[in-house]
C-alpha cells in the first residue's frame, strides 16, 4: 500500500491551505481553507474540489483562520460527512469565523443579485450559507494538545502547540502501510518564539517528511524589544499629531495580542489620551473565547489575563457591536484608535474607516499582519497614492506604518530553527508562501542545513513510501 501527499492549495500563495493525504484506502484532508486576495483569486473558491468530498474519511484542521478552515462548509455541502479533528479552542473560534464567513457570502450574493435582476441576468447562489456552517459544527471532534489518537486503522494523530493563534496546532501523523511506517509533520501556521500571550511553538524531533509553511521565508522580523520600542515611538509621534489611528486587525489572534499589549504598556505608550474602539463584533466574540482559554497562554500573559482581564485594564476601551455604533466613530476626527477588521482590508468595517480617514494627513494606518497579493492592505503597504472604495477614488495622505514585529508567523530564522530540531534532516515540502518567499527559504535551508527541499506545484503528488535515499534524491 502507498502513502501519498497531494498539494491542493497554498502551493504558490499564502491562502487556500488544503492537502490530501492518502494512506492505502483511506483519505485524510489537511485543512480546507478559503482562497483570499483579488476577485479573480476568490472566484476560484467556487471551482469543484479536485476530489470527491464524500470519499474523504477525515479532516484535520490546523487552526481557525479562514484561509485554513473557510471551505469546510462547502466540503460538507458537497458530501463530506466524516469527523473533523482539531484543537478544542479552534472549534470555538470556528463557530465565530465560519458564521461570519457565511454571513458575508450571503450578503455578497444578495448584493450581486440585485444588480443581476436589474439586468435580467441569472441569479447567483452564495458559496455556502449559515445552514451549511451549522452542519460543519456537528462533525467537530475537539482534541487537546499532546493527546495521541488513532483516527483511522492506519493513521494516528497528535496535535502540538504551534504558537500562532489560540488553538493553532502542529500536526503529527503516524502512518502505516504494509511493512512501512512513516511519520508526517505538518507545521500549520507556525508562530514565533518569545512573543507575548501564546506559548512558543512546540519542538518536534522525528519525521520522515515535513510540510512547512513559508509565509515569511524571505525576511527577518524585528525582535520583540525593538518592536516594543518602535510602537512606543510611534504612539509618541502620533500623540503630537492628534489625528486618528486605524489598525486593520485579524479578528482572531492579532486583535487579542494588540489589546494585551495596550493593557501592558498603557502608561508607557500614553494610551490614556486616546479613545480606543474595538469595532468588530467577531473580534469581540473571539476575545471572549481567548479569555475562557487563558490556560493556553504563556505564564506571564495567563497571570495578567486571569487577574485583571483586558477590559478593566483599558478603561478607555469601547466595544462597538452595532452598525450605528460603528458609524458614530466616523464623527471623531482626532484622538481615536480604531481596531477593526478585516486584517487585509478586503472587507469589514475598516474600509469605512479608511474612507473617512485615509485622505487625512494627520491619520496613521498601522499594518500589523501579512497582506496577500490583490488585497487592499497590500495596496496600502506597497505605497498606493489612491485607493478605490465602493466606486469612489480616495486619496491616501495618511502615513502607513508596517509593524512586521507583530507578525504571528515565524520569519526565516524561526522557520529554519524549528526545522533544524528534526533529527536526520527529513525532506521538507514548502507550502503557504508566495514564490519569492518559498524560493529564498528553500535556498537558505539547503545552504545552511543541507536540507532536501521540494517546492511542489498545485496538484503535485509526493510519495512517502519510496526508498529512503531515492526519496531524498527527489528533493534535491
Amino acid at each position: 500500500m502507498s502513502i501519498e501527499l497531494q498539494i491542493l492549495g497554498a502551493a504558490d500563495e499564502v491562502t487556500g491551505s488544503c492537502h490530501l493525504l492518502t494512506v492505502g484506502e483511506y483519505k485524510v484532508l489537511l485543512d480546507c481553507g478559503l482562497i483570499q486576495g483579488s476577485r479573480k483569486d476568490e472566484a476560484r473558491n467556487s471551482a469543484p474540489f479536485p476530489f470527491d468530498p464524500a470519499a474523504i474519511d477525515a479532516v484535520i484542521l490546523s487552526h481557525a483562520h479562514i484561509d485554513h478552515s473557510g471551505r469546510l462548509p462547502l466540503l460538507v455541502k458537497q458530501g463530506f460527512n466524516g469527523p473533523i479533528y482539531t484543537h478544542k479552542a479552534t472549534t470555538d473560534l470556528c463557530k465565530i469565523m465560519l458564521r461570519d464567513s457565511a454571513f458575508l457570502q450571503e450578503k455578497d450574493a444578495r448584493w450581486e443579485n440585485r444588480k443581476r435582476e436589474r439586468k435580467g441576468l441569472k441569479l447567483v447562489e452564495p458559496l455556502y450559507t449559515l445552514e451549511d456552517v451549522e452542519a460543519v459544527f456537528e462533525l467537530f471532534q475537539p482534541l487537546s494538545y499532546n493527546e495521541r489518537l488513532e483516527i483511522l486503522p492506519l493513521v494516528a494523530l497528535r496535535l502540538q502547540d504551534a504558537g500562532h493563534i489560540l488553538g493553532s496546532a502542529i500536526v503529527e501523523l503516524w502512518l502505516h502501510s504494509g511493512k512501512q511506517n512513516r511519520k508526517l509533520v505538518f507545521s500549520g501556521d507556525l508562530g514565533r518564539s518569545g512573543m507575548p500571550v501564546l506559548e512558543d511553538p512546540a519542538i518536534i524531533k522525528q519525521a520522515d517528511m515535513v510540510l512547512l509553511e513559508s509565509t515569511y521565508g524571505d525576511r527577518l522580523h524585528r525582535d520583540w524589544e525593538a518592536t516594543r520600542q518602535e510602537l512606543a515611538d510611534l504612539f509618541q509621534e502620533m500623540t503630537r499629531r492628534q489625528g486618528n489611528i486605524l489598525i486593520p486587525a485579524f479578528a482572531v489572534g492579532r486583535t487579542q495580542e494588540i489589546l494585551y499589549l495596550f493593557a501592558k504598556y498603557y502608561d508607557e505608550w500614553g494610551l490614556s489620551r486616546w479613545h480606543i474602539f474595538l469595532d468588530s463584533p467577531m473580534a469581540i466574540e473571539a476575545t471572549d473565547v481567548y479569555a475562557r482559554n487563558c490556560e493556553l497562554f504563556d505564564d506571564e500573559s495567563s497571570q495578567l489575563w486571569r487577574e485583571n482581564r483586558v477590559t478593566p485594564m483599558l478603561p478607555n476601551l469601547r466595544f462597538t457591536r452595532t452598525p450605528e455604533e460603528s458609524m458614530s466613530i466616523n464623527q471623531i476626527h482626532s484622538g481615536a484608535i480604531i481596531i477593526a477588521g478585516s486584517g487585509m482590508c478586503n472587507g469589514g468595517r475598516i474600509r469605512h474607516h479608511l474612507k473617512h480617514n485615509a485622505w487625512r494627513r494627520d491619520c496613521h494606518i498601522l499594518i500589523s499582519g501579512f497582506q496577500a497579493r490583490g488585497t487592499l492592505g497590500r495596496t496600502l503597504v506597497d505605497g498606493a497614492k489612491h485607493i478605490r472604495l465602493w466606486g469612489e477614488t480616495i486619496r491616501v495622505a495618511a502615513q502607513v506604518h508596517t509593524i512586521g514585529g507583530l507578525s504571528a508567523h515565524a520569519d526565516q530564522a524561526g522557520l529554519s530553527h524549528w526545522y533544524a530540531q528534526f533529527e536526520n534532516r527529513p525532506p521538507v515540502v514548502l507550502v503557504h508562501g508566495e514564490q519569492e518567499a518559498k524560493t529564498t527559504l528553500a535556498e537558505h535551508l539547503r545552504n545552511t542545513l543541507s536540507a532536501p527541499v521540494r517546492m511542489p506545484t498545485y496538484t503535485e503528488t509526493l510519495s512517502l513510501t519510496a526508498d529512503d535515499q531515492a526519496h531524498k534524491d527527489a528533493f534535491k
Side-chain angles (χ1 to χ4, degrees):
M1 291 187 294
S2 64
I3 303 175
E4 294 181 336
L5 179 68
Q6 188 177 22
I7 307 303
L8 297 176
D12 290 308
E13 58 191 331
V14 167
T15 65
S17 180
C18 186
H19 314 290
L20 178 61
L21 178 65
T22 302
V23 187
E25 62 185 286
Y26 298 103
K27 296 183 182 298
V28 178
L29 206 60
L30 305 179
D31 288 347
C32 192
L34 271 181
I35 300 164
Q36 297 172 295
S38 67
R39 287 186 178 272
K40 183 178 179 181
D41 290 329
E42 294 181 355
R44 289 185 283 139
N45 289 310
S46 300
F49 287 107
F51 53 81
D52 178 7
I56 302 297
D57 294 288
V59 173
I60 300 170
L61 176 61
S62 65
H63 65 289
H65 275 154
I66 212 71
D67 62 318
H68 293 256
S69 68
R71 277 193 293 172
L72 285 173
L74 192 61
L75 189 75
V76 174
K77 181 180 179 180
Q78 295 184 7
F80 173 72
N81 194 36
I84 302 172
Y85 296 99
T86 193
H87 190 273
K88 58 183 180 180
T90 298
T91 65
D92 291 338
L93 292 174
C94 275
K95 290 177 181 178
I96 299 168
M97 300 194 73
L98 291 178
R99 283 172 179 150
D100 180 75
S101 179
F103 170 78
L104 293 175
Q105 299 290 344
E106 292 179 325
K107 179 181 176 182
D108 288 347
R110 287 195 301 270
W111 180 265
E112 177 66 20
N113 284 336
R114 280 201 292 269
K115 293 188 292 183
R116 285 174 170 264
E117 281 184 315
R118 291 194 293 268
K119 296 177 181 179
L121 300 176
K122 182 180 178 181
L123 301 185
V124 299
E125 294 289 331
L127 192 64
Y128 51 79
T129 66
L130 282 167
E131 184 178 353
D132 297 322
V133 165
E134 296 301 321
V136 174
F137 302 152
E138 298 176 7
L139 304 179
F140 277 134
Q141 297 290 320
L143 301 175
S144 299
Y145 291 134
N146 303 313
E147 176 185 352
R148 180 165 169 165
L149 178 70
E150 186 172 314
I151 62 171
L152 290 167
L154 304 178
V155 181
L157 163 69
R158 181 168 66 191
L159 304 180
Q160 300 271 31
D161 196 341
H164 173 63
I165 64 168
L166 190 76
S168 60
I170 299 163
V171 177
E172 294 182 278
L173 288 164
W174 288 266
L175 313 169
H176 309 284
S177 178
K179 295 181 180 180
Q180 298 191 79
N181 298 320
R182 291 289 185 266
K183 184 181 179 186
L184 173 67
V185 174
F186 173 37
S187 69
D189 281 0
L190 206 63
R192 300 170 59 194
S193 297
M195 291 295 286
V197 183
L198 297 180
E199 297 279 8
D200 293 347
I203 296 299
I204 314 293
K205 294 289 188 181
Q206 300 288 336
D208 295 295
M209 181 183 287
V210 177
L211 186 61
L212 177 62
E213 70 120 317
S214 55
T215 310
Y216 285 115
D218 60 345
R219 69 195 75 179
L220 300 176
H221 298 316
R222 284 193 175 191
D223 63 32
W224 169 239
E225 182 54 35
T227 299
R228 184 199 63 76
Q229 187 58 53
E230 180 183 13
L231 285 167
D233 294 343
L234 273 177
F235 280 111
Q236 185 176 16
E237 175 193 345
M238 292 182 288
T239 298
R240 288 196 299 267
R241 297 187 67 177
Q242 274 297 304
N244 290 332
I245 302 172
L246 308 186
I247 307 180
F250 299 103
V252 176
R254 187 53 37 77
T255 291
Q256 291 72 37
E257 184 180 69
I258 290 170
L259 291 177
Y260 169 81
L261 294 175
F262 279 8
K264 184 174 181 179
Y265 299 105
Y266 184 77
D267 293 327
E268 179 183 337
W269 293 353
L271 295 177
S272 62
R273 303 183 183 95
W274 298 86
H275 300 285
I276 304 172
F277 297 91
L278 179 52
D279 190 29
S280 167
M282 183 166 64
I284 293 168
E285 288 186 71
T287 301
D288 185 55
V289 174
Y290 266 66
R292 297 199 307 268
N293 288 275
C294 58
E295 74 279 358
L296 299 175
F297 299 173
D298 61 35
D299 291 341
E300 180 186 4
S301 303
S302 179
Q303 181 178 355
L304 185 65
W305 206 289
R306 287 178 189 276
E307 291 177 355
N308 300 288
R309 303 290 181 176
V310 167
T311 306
M313 297 169 63
L314 288 171
N316 51 348
L317 172 65
R318 180 181 170 191
F319 291 160
T320 50
R321 292 179 170 84
T322 68
E324 291 75 20
E325 289 174 318
S326 177
M327 287 187 286
S328 70
I329 300 173
N330 289 321
Q331 303 303 313
I332 303 172
H333 295 164
S334 179
I337 298 175
I338 306 163
I339 306 167
S342 68
M344 297 186 194
C345 306
N346 254 25
R349 295 179 176 181
I350 193 63
R351 294 169 70 89
H352 294 277
H353 298 304
L354 286 168
K355 179 180 178 180
H356 286 269
N357 289 275
W359 51 272
R360 301 178 186 273
R361 293 188 180 278
D362 58 359
C363 173
H364 291 258
I365 303 169
L366 267 60
I367 302 293
S368 62
F370 183 80
Q371 307 297 308
R373 287 175 300 193
T375 63
L376 177 57
R378 182 67 163 261
T379 300
L380 290 168
V381 168
D382 289 343
K385 300 301 182 184
H386 296 86
I387 56 177
R388 294 280 291 176
L389 293 169
W390 301 287
E392 182 179 350
T393 298
I394 308 294
R395 178 171 60 97
V396 180
Q399 291 194 38
V400 179
H401 310 270
T402 301
I403 314 297
L406 283 179
S407 174
H409 286 269
D411 61 4
Q412 184 188 90
L415 294 167
S416 178
H417 172 77
W418 184 78
Y419 170 77
Q421 308 311 305
F422 285 95
E423 299 173 358
N424 302 321
R425 298 292 185 267
V428 57
V429 179
L430 297 184
V431 293
H432 203 281
E434 294 176 358
Q435 188 62 42
E436 183 177 350
K438 283 199 311 179
T439 301
T440 303
L441 180 60
E443 292 175 355
H444 177 77
L445 293 175
R446 289 177 181 132
N447 293 337
T448 62
L449 298 171
S450 299
V453 184
R454 189 72 166 266
M455 294 182 288
T457 56
Y458 178 70
T459 73
E460 186 171 343
T461 299
L462 308 168
S463 172
L464 276 78
T465 49
D467 171 77
D468 283 348
Q469 187 56 50
H471 186 50
K472 287 194 175 186
D473 287 346
F475 279 72
K476 290 182 178 178

